[in-house]
Every structure is written in structure tokens, then in C-alpha cells.
Amino acid sequence: RNVAIVGGGLAGLSVAYQLLEKANDAEADDESEKEIICITILDKTHVGMGGASSVAGGLLHPFSPRGKLVHLGLEGLQSTLHLLSIASSYESTCILKPSLYRLALTDNHVSQLQQTAELYPEHCTWLGKETLTRKCCPFVEEEGEEKIKWKGGLELTSGKVIHVPTYLKGLWKACLDLSSPLSTKKNDIIDTETTARWIVMENKEKEKEWMDKLQEFDTVILAAGAGLWMSSLEKEHKDQVRGMLANIGESEMQSNKNVITGKWPIQLVRGQSVELSLSTQQRGEYNSEALLCGKYTSPLPSSQRRKEDCQNDNFVLVGATHEYDVSKALSKEEVINDLRSRSYDVFPWIWDEGTVHNITEGWRVQSNRGLFGRVPIVGRLPSTSSLGQESEERNGTMLNHKDAWIFTGLSSRGLIHHGVYGGILADAILNRCEENMVSEYDGIQWWRKALEKE
């Protein structure tokens, strides 16, 4: 079966790998009867180099800021750890830290996180202020703790800090290894290829060419995050929201601060983060642990040390802004001021001693909050040919395909949710039916009900 996946980020690569894995593991009386899945990923750039996935903070854990378990949090953790073990066998440097820390600044937050530690001791441990400071920033302890505002926090022992671009590269290599060899003969020359390929749509002409070819595939999966809604996001306030899924005119876009594209229950959110270096000449090696408390800081790999004058420094990422006005991006100074004001009490030494080297930017599709919080949009798209008049408005898409699916809206929970929802979707696609998915996972079609309500 020829499957096209539009988007090669966390969502696209999760469903790609799990389609191949589940198809290979499927039992058949005769091996020749096994269904061969041929994967074509369509993306605007190479693996790990574009979209929100490429600039993600890489913090994997199953808890909300208040220490509550997110929907399918433990299932998501288990699924992502499985994919991570596969990817790390190809790219061993994708795991940056074996755990991370959520900090408490108020007495109420202390109570919430201590309760989390009591409920889930296999996933987290409560640490008092002294112990936490010693683990995360011992150099501060030596100089006095007056700058440290936290009252303690959780060590998320089952979590991980991941360099997402490297993780995606490892997952794609795993896809190539799982794919089957295909031999074609042309001019008496046998050419062997795999049943997985990555197509870079580097310009509008090639993008249109491949979008026109989607009808030739047996199955199409839209998994491109914000790219599904945005044909281009130009800087300097010339943003236009025009994409594959339901258009909004430029004048209408400018009149809405919170852009909800068409009938889809989503918001487009711009996130900008700051890369800083911490000089090892001043202090020696920093611990560079990942810390969360509203905003976050996480370590960056040594490959980020690009400039000769800071090759031996430690690099960290501080993120991220939440910008809902797509018509205007915060300036570099505004991004730095926003993140500093919201995180200085958590990790002051980074701002006091760090040097800003870069601002990263990504767009997230944030689903509307529902019964289970913010969960992805995943499932089958109805064929427009079966909907009659005004079909594009009724299924919210300009794609008319007999077997089209969608997987988007991961937002800030991409790492915890991409594995479990990618597996759910892969099962439904292989079975050519979403009935089991709907019956087993309560509320998974929340987005379809929102479309129908509109």
C-alpha cells in the first residue's frame, strides 16, 4: 500500500515508523500475503531541520504544570520511550539527560508536587530546596542561596531530555531499515530501492507538483502541524494563513488576534526561544540540567557550539514565548525581555552570566481545550465526494481522497503524545477502519464533533 505522509516532524515520523513496524509484525499464513507498506514523506526540508519539532525544548514527561497526569500520559511515556530506544540505537546522542526537574516557587505548588510524588513514586521524587540546589546548581550553593527562589521540586526520574532533531534523524533511519527492498529494471540495469523515501519540496512548484500527486497514493496522512494551515509565514509581519486546510483571507486574518482557521478547533501559536552560552572559563563546567517552572531551560548538544570563540562553552535553551497574534512577531529584544522576566527567579545565573547567541522560532497548532485538556486531532477525514454540496466547508479540507487521515495539534505536548497517538492512528489505517479507535479511546473524535457543531 502506497502511503503519503505530509510532514516529517514528530507526528509524521511516529506514524511512519509504527505503520512499518506493525505491518512487519503482522501475522500471516503466508509471508507473501503480508501487506507491504510503502512510505513517502513530503516535507519542505530534510529530516530534523524544519517546523516546530526541530526547535522543541525536548522535555519528555507525563505531568502538567500542577503535577497532574496528562491524558494518556503514562501510555504516551511508554510509547515514546519505545520509539526513543529505537532511534537512539541509530543516533546515540539524541538523549541529553536521563531525567529533568519541575520546580515549585509557592507553598501551594509545593503541596501539589509533593502529592504527585506520593501518587507516582515510580516516576518522580520530591527534593527539598537544599538537595535540589546541590543537584542542579552546586556553584550557586557555594556562593549563597539568596538568589534561589524555589522551595523544592520534583525530579522526573522516568522522563528524558531529548535533542529532537537528532531523535527524528534516528527514527527516520529506523524507518529505512524497516522498509522493504524493491528492485526495478531499467535498460538492463537493476536498481534496488527501499519502500521508504523522503521528498523535499524545496519550492512552490515542487510543492504543487507533489500535492497534485496525492490522488495517486492509496492512503494520505496530513501530519504537518502548522504547515497544513500556512503556505508561507514570512517575517516582518507579512504573515499569510493560506494552506491545505480551509483558507482565511488576509483582511480577516488581521482582524482576529486569535486565529482559528476555518472551522477547525485550533489556534496557531508562535513560540520563540533563546539560545545562550555559559562560559566554562569563568566557572568550569556547568551542570546544565533541564528545569521547568512556567518557562524552561534545557541543555543543547555540543554540536550547537558553532563559533570558535565559544567552542568549550555550555549552551542552553530558554523557552518559549506564546504569541497568538500571527500578524506581528515579538522582536529579539522583546523575546529576551519576556523570557527573562518570566524565568529569572527560576534560573537567574543563566541570565546573569549567559550570552545570547540565537533566537529560534516555531509555530504550533494548539487544539482547543476539552474534556481531556488539549489533545491532538487524529482520525479519518471524510471524503468530500461523499458529502455533496459545500463539501469543502463540511469536512474542513480541500483534499478529496478516498482514504485520507489527519494527525496534528500536538502543540507543547508533542513528545508525550506523538508516540501513543501515532500508534493508535497506525492501527486504524492498517485495519482500514477507525471503529476500534473510537470505541477504545473515549473522546478521540472530539474535533470531529466540533466541526459538525460548526
Side-chain angles (χ1 to χ4, degrees):
R1 186 169 7 163
N2 289 308
V3 179
I5 301 176
V6 182
L10 286 169
L13 278 173
S14 169
V15 71
Y17 177 81
Q18 293 187 80
L19 278 172
L20 293 167
E21 182 182 50
K22 291 173 183 291
N24 283 359
D25 291 344
E27 294 182 2
D29 296 333
D30 187 344
E31 281 293 314
S32 63
E33 296 178 359
K34 268 193 174 184
E35 184 176 38
I36 297 177
I37 300 296
C38 302
I39 296 290
T40 298
I41 292 184
L42 305 171
D43 203 289
K44 291 185 178 181
T45 187
H46 296 281
V47 59
M49 295 180 63
S53 297
S54 67
V55 293
L59 308 178
L60 172 64
H61 64 91
F63 299 108
S64 74
R66 293 191 176 111
K68 302 293 185 182
L69 199 63
V70 302
H71 184 57
L72 295 184
L74 296 183
E75 297 89 340
L77 180 65
Q78 182 180 8
S79 181
T80 298
L81 289 176
H82 166 67
L83 295 179
L84 186 59
S85 68
I86 300 297
S88 62
S89 67
Y90 296 88
E91 296 285 347
S92 60
T93 59
C94 68
I95 301 176
L96 299 178
K97 293 286 181 177
S99 63
L100 58 156
Y101 300 85
R102 180 171 289 286
L103 311 179
L105 293 181
T106 67
D107 291 336
N108 186 46
H109 205 194
V110 168
S111 178
Q112 291 172 339
L113 296 187
Q114 285 178 337
Q115 185 178 20
T116 302
E118 292 174 3
L119 290 173
Y120 306 101
E122 68 276 26
H123 296 287
C124 57
T125 302
W126 171 260
L127 302 176
K129 179 177 180 178
E130 183 179 334
T131 303
L132 189 60
T133 302
R134 188 164 56 248
K135 273 179 169 276
C136 297
C137 47
F139 50 86
V140 174
E141 186 181 40
E142 294 171 2
E143 300 175 359
E145 299 182 13
E146 63 277 359
K147 279 190 174 183
I148 298 299
K149 304 297 184 183
W150 63 59
K151 297 173 178 290
L154 290 179
E155 181 176 5
L156 303 172
T157 52
S158 65
K160 296 285 184 289
V161 183
I162 301 168
H163 188 239
V164 179
T166 306
Y167 164 65
L168 293 176
K169 290 175 184 178
L171 204 52
W172 176 240
K173 290 179 181 180
C175 288
L176 292 174
D177 266 5
L178 272 182
S179 60
S180 305
L182 286 179
S183 296
T184 57
K185 189 174 183 180
K186 185 176 181 181
N187 298 329
D188 294 326
I189 298 176
I190 296 178
D191 185 23
T192 301
E193 298 179 344
T194 65
T195 55
R197 58 178 175 167
W198 189 290
I199 304 297
V200 177
M201 302 180 295
E202 69 270 12
N203 53 51
K204 291 297 176 183
E205 290 73 23
K206 192 160 186 179
E207 181 180 349
K208 184 179 185 305
E209 173 192 345
W210 277 99
M211 292 302 105
D212 291 341
K213 288 181 179 180
L214 288 180
Q215 291 296 333
E216 301 174 10
F217 289 87
D218 301 309
T219 299
V220 174
I221 306 168
L222 303 181
L228 293 176
W229 279 267
M230 299 176 177
S231 59
S232 65
L233 282 175
E234 300 174 0
K235 294 185 177 179
E236 299 179 4
H237 321 317
K238 296 181 181 178
D239 302 19
Q240 292 186 358
V241 183
R242 291 195 176 98
M244 289 182 62
L245 302 181
N247 297 326
I248 285 185
E250 186 171 353
S251 60
E252 183 180 354
M253 179 203 73
Q254 291 175 346
S255 67
N256 286 277
K257 182 176 181 180
N258 297 331
V259 176
I260 298 179
T261 310
K263 298 183 178 73
W264 290 84
I266 61 99
Q267 289 177 309
L268 301 176
V269 183
R270 188 198 319 257
Q272 299 190 69
S273 301
V274 179
E275 292 181 1
L276 302 99
S277 67
L278 296 165
S279 174
T280 56
Q281 293 180 352
Q282 181 175 350
R283 285 197 180 274
E285 193 73 11
Y286 279 82
N287 213 9
S288 298
E289 298 292 346
L291 308 176
L292 301 90
C293 189
K295 300 305 178 183
Y296 67 83
T297 179
S298 60
L300 289 170
S302 57
S303 60
Q304 299 293 116
R305 305 169 187 176
R306 293 178 292 269
K307 297 182 179 180
E308 291 184 3
D309 59 349
C310 57
Q311 284 183 350
N312 296 320
D313 292 355
N314 285 22
F315 273 70
V316 297
L317 184 72
V318 176
T321 63
H322 288 75
E323 302 169 48
Y324 294 92
D325 184 356
V326 301
S327 65
K328 183 179 181 180
L330 294 179
S331 67
K332 177 180 177 179
E333 291 74 20
E334 289 172 326
V335 170
I336 293 171
N337 290 337
D338 178 69
L339 294 178
R340 179 187 173 97
S341 66
R342 295 174 184 270
S343 65
Y344 186 84
D345 284 347
V346 185
F347 30 83
W349 64 91
I350 289 179
W351 294 109
D352 289 343
E353 302 175 20
T355 301
V356 174
H357 281 275
N358 189 33
I359 304 290
T360 66
E361 178 184 277
W363 285 87
R364 295 193 297 270
V365 177
Q366 178 175 281
S367 60
N368 291 355
R369 194 180 299 277
L371 180 62
F372 299 106
R374 300 192 192 278
V375 294
I377 294 172
V378 57
R380 186 195 289 273
L381 284 172
S383 171
T384 57
S385 61
S386 66
L387 293 176
Q389 293 181 343
E390 298 181 347
S391 57
E392 289 181 8
E393 288 77 8
R394 290 176 64 189
N395 86 335
T397 174
M398 295 187 294
L399 177 66
N400 180 19
H401 194 282
K402 64 182 183 297
D403 191 34
W405 303 74
I406 186 168
F407 183 17
T408 189
L410 286 168
S411 190
S412 60
R413 292 179 178 165
L415 277 176
I416 196 64
H417 277 158
H418 78 290
V420 62
Y421 280 99
I424 293 169
L425 181 58
D427 283 332
I429 291 171
L430 291 173
N431 293 328
R432 292 182 168 85
C433 175
E434 60 178 353
E435 289 181 3
N436 290 341
M437 176 180 76
V438 173
S439 61
E440 187 174 351
Y441 296 95
D442 187 27
I444 199 167
Q445 288 202 325
W446 69 273
W447 59 274
R448 192 188 301 276
K449 294 177 181 178
L451 286 178
E452 292 171 353
K453 185 177 179 180
E454 289 290 334

